[in-house]
Amino acid sequence: MNNEFIPVNIPLLDGNEKKYLNECIDTGWISSEGPFIKRFEDGFAAKMGRKHGIAVSNGSVALDTALIALGLQEGDEVIMPTFTIICCASAIIRVGAIPVLVDSDAIHWNMDVDLIESKITPKTKAIMVVHIYGIPVDMDKVLQIAQKYNLKIIEDAAEQHGQYYKERPVGSFGDISCFSFYPNKHITTGEGGMIATDNLELAERCRSLRNLSFQSERRFVHYELGYNYRLTNMQAAIGLAQLERMDEFVQKKRRIGEIYNDLLYNVKGIQLNLNETDYANSIYWVYGIVLKDEIPFDASEAIKKLEKIGVGARPFFWCMHEQPVFQKMNLFNDESHPVSENLARRGLYIPSGLGLTDEQVIVAANRFKSIFNGSF
Ligand SMILES: *Cc1c(COP(=O)(O)O)cnc(C)c1O
């Protein structure tokens, strides 16, 4: 154990995954036809408090499909956080709409909902809510604004399946909500994603778009250009096995978070992942840490130090307004979002995968502590 490298993520696949996968192979149902797709879609949607689930090949295309299905167009504006993953912005840009960025809250790292209203113009059509790391966005405020200005909500819940905002599942708030099943998410299918909605028309539109917009009357006659974004029965088989254990996985994530809280709370110069707000307890998708100004190195240097002593770590997201690709496109010129900029430079996350043992987490915490012991 003493020299063992502790990776930032290890997925946990020791339930019915193998059994269900074997069923796919034994029956020959390996494509996106096959019984696990519907079982996974229905089971997942129910768990998220939604009427319809549409399984797709990953979380990024879930967002792409959702934006097309909502009918967003050239020139429409969509408000979103600058501190997030790039596929949120690219989905907006690909339909010709304009992302309008909002800075983060310094305590829970989600978009600062108090900044949303000042960004609204006559062109604003939607708010893309992204629940970041562990604590959900304060949805009451977002819902209020959306209602007041008649805006759609796209909810990116890729990091928080199984989380609740007050009494209501995260992912149940959007006109359309998107999830990812990448191996570091709360449940995984290897690669995979889901769109969830209560609106039948939107659901059918997404089903059609994910499947090349084939028609039921005459399969190879098309009225719209769709995509092949289908999930396979094999992936859904793994997803169903994971879904059966989702509550247990959420508990385990919270336990990992608590172990870090207990072992790191007295380390000077760092801000820990917030454990609760008045509307939610953290689900600790990843265990994030922000280096305060008094620490004389930034997150990328901390990550190098950690790698050297056997702890896997990753930097936080890089802001959308600082992305070279968007600068080349002349987007977000001269914008500044200081809280997010600081998170991007000073934030990192440490091993938080479901397959880690408590012992590994404790070792990771103690090694982490050692890089802050008086060397500066
Ligand atoms: C992981 C993630 C995605 C993308 O999901 P992929 O399945 O990797 O394409 C989208 N949004 C957020 C917030 C994520 O964390």
Side-chain angles (χ1 to χ4, degrees):
M1 173 50 91
N2 265 344
N3 299 316
E4 183 203 9
F5 187 85
I6 303 178
V8 76
N9 181 48
I10 306 176
L12 191 58
L13 300 160
D14 57 356
N16 284 322
E17 286 83 355
K18 238 182 218 167
K19 180 175 163 224
Y20 294 167
L21 258 183
N22 276 335
E23 268 180 61
C24 299
I25 293 165
D26 292 343
T27 58
W29 288 113
I30 57 170
S31 75
S32 62
E33 299 286 317
F36 284 115
I37 298 281
K38 189 162 173 8
R39 286 172 70 188
F40 182 45
E41 285 179 339
D42 290 353
F44 187 81
K47 199 101 182 127
M48 298 304 125
R50 308 255 49 177
K51 290 196 181 122
H52 312 284
I54 303 97
V56 291
S57 24
N58 56 64
S60 304
V61 302
L63 287 165
D64 287 335
T65 309
L67 279 253
I68 300 168
L70 277 178
L72 289 165
Q73 300 171 0
E74 201 77 37
D76 290 346
E77 292 178 1
V78 181
I79 295 172
M80 63 169 284
T82 186
F83 182 68
T84 184
I85 187 167
I86 194 153
C87 51
C88 298
S90 53
I92 295 171
I93 291 167
R94 286 191 176 122
V95 294
I98 302 158
V100 175
L101 304 177
V102 168
D103 202 358
S104 312
D105 178 279
I107 307 300
H108 54 64
W109 310 333
N110 284 297
M111 74 200 290
D112 182 344
V113 293
D114 293 328
L115 298 175
I116 294 175
E117 212 162 352
S118 68
K119 302 282 177 177
I120 292 175
T121 75
K123 290 184 183 162
T124 309
K125 291 286 154 51
I127 303 171
M128 182 184 281
V129 165
V130 188
H131 305 289
I132 303 280
Y133 299 165
I135 297 281
V137 172
D138 191 350
M139 288 310 300
D140 282 347
K141 290 190 186 160
V142 177
L143 292 172
Q144 219 177 352
I145 295 169
Q147 194 172 21
K148 182 168 166 194
Y149 295 94
N150 193 25
L151 306 176
K152 300 279 186 223
I153 296 177
I154 303 132
E155 194 182 1
D156 181 348
E159 301 176 0
Q160 295 196 17
H161 354 126
Q163 175 62 296
Y164 281 76
Y165 173 82
K166 297 184 177 169
E167 303 293 302
R168 202 171 143 182
V170 160
S172 71
F173 292 91
D175 290 278
I176 198 158
S177 300
C178 296
F179 300 86
S180 162
F181 305 122
Y182 190 71
N184 63 1
K185 312 293 175 167
H186 288 100
I187 65 172
T188 184
T189 59
E191 298 285 350
M194 188 83 77
I195 303 162
T197 179
D198 290 338
N199 180 317
L200 178 63
E201 208 177 308
L202 279 179
E204 285 181 342
R205 189 88 203 285
C206 291
R207 274 184 210 291
S208 170
L209 284 165
R210 122 185 121 173
N211 193 25
L212 291 173
S213 301
F214 286 126
Q215 297 296 305
S216 47
E217 323 80 78
R218 184 70 208 260
R219 184 171 173 85
F220 294 106
V221 175
H222 301 266
Y223 294 91
E224 181 172 45
L225 289 182
Y227 302 84
N228 179 353
Y229 287 161
R230 300 181 301 250
L231 191 77
T232 67
N233 196 49
M234 297 180 286
Q235 291 166 307
I238 295 175
L240 186 67
Q242 292 265 300
L243 186 64
E244 292 168 351
R245 300 177 68 193
M246 201 173 82
D247 297 339
E248 178 196 333
F249 287 176
V250 168
Q251 270 179 21
K252 168 110 197 236
K253 279 283 193 185
R254 291 203 160 115
R255 189 166 80 237
I256 293 172
E258 293 305 328
I259 294 174
Y260 281 132
N261 288 341
D262 286 350
L263 293 174
L264 301 179
Y265 79 94
N266 58 359
V267 177
K268 291 214 167 45
I270 61 172
Q271 176 193 354
L272 300 182
N273 203 114
L274 185 67
N275 64 334
E276 62 177 12
T277 61
D278 56 2
Y279 56 75
N281 296 319
S282 180
I283 196 167
Y284 300 103
W285 170 55
V286 291
Y287 194 88
I289 288 168
V290 177
L291 308 175
K292 294 185 183 166
D293 293 346
E294 66 212 69
I295 304 292
F297 48 82
D298 66 9
S300 38
E301 210 175 317
I303 291 166
K304 280 189 207 138
K305 289 177 192 283
L306 287 168
E307 294 272 339
K308 269 195 206 131
I309 53 170
V311 178
R314 294 277 186 282
F316 273 13
F317 294 128
W318 195 250
C319 302
M320 292 305 107
H321 67 282
E322 296 194 293
Q323 295 290 346
V325 61
F326 294 145
Q327 283 164 0
K328 265 195 277 180
M329 295 164 78
N330 251 325
L331 283 164
F332 319 128
N333 284 338
D334 304 321
E335 283 191 30
S336 137
H337 301 281
V339 177
S340 302
E341 287 161 24
N342 187 62
L343 291 175
R345 285 162 179 79
R346 308 288 289 175
L348 68 151
Y349 61 90
I350 55 178
S352 346
L354 285 162
L356 294 165
T357 62
D358 288 0
E359 196 190 1
Q360 285 175 309
V361 177
I362 292 166
V363 171
N366 287 327
R367 288 181 189 167
F368 178 88
K369 264 179 161 168
S370 75
I371 71 166
F372 292 93
N373 277 346
S375 52
F376 49 88

